Amino acid sequence: EIYPEASKDLMIRKALYENSKMNMFVGNGPWILALFSKSPWMMFAKPDEKDPCFPNTPDGFKYYAGISPGEQYSWSTPDQRIVWEADTFDKMVEAWTLWQKDKNING
């Protein structure tokens, strides 16, 4: 299913994020809406020293995002985490499974 209104109205998009069981992002603009909220999210990032785009390197991530690979933001809740892996199907399933397991243990 799609919800076209969410692509045109920021408040609708934000409400959609807040009412989702989980939001999965890569490091781009939409993730920032969730980063500074109570919305549940996972953001997939795999910085690479050899990437020609500086923001995609470990040093670039530290410079622009303020944290180094492997770290999490201090304000993140248990339902908010950076997954330091590429956004492949297998890694997304693995992160989802670990989150569900952790939620069942601590939830």
Side-chain angles (χ1 to χ4, degrees):
E1 283 186 50
I2 62 169
Y3 192 55
E5 291 81 5
S7 69
K8 299 179 237 170
D9 186 310
L10 192 59
M11 298 309 287
I12 291 174
R13 180 181 287 220
K14 189 77 175 76
L16 194 61
Y17 290 165
E18 289 175 3
N19 288 287
S20 295
K21 186 172 188 174
M22 178 57 68
N23 297 280
M24 294 189 176
F25 299 100
V26 293
N28 58 18
W31 171 55
I32 298 303
L33 288 175
L35 175 61
F36 298 108
S37 75
K38 298 296 181 195
S39 301
W41 57 264
M42 291 181 197
M43 191 280 285
F44 293 81
K46 182 125 177 118
D48 182 350
E49 288 285 347
K50 296 176 185 163
D51 195 307
C53 181
F54 179 68
N56 295 334
T57 66
D59 288 342
F61 204 93
K62 174 71 174 173
Y63 181 81
Y64 289 108
I67 60 174
S68 296
E71 296 179 341
Q72 299 292 325
Y73 288 105
S74 60
W75 63 83
S76 295
T77 71
D79 291 337
Q80 300 174 327
R81 63 183 65 170
I82 298 173
V83 179
W84 295 101
E85 297 288 347
D87 60 328
T88 65
F89 178 76
D90 290 340
K91 292 300 180 182
M92 292 172 80
V93 168
E94 181 180 323
W96 173 258
T97 302
L98 289 172
W99 175 75
Q100 292 241 43
K101 180 180 175 186
D102 188 52
K103 190 116 176 117
N104 288 334
I105 290 171
N106 298 317

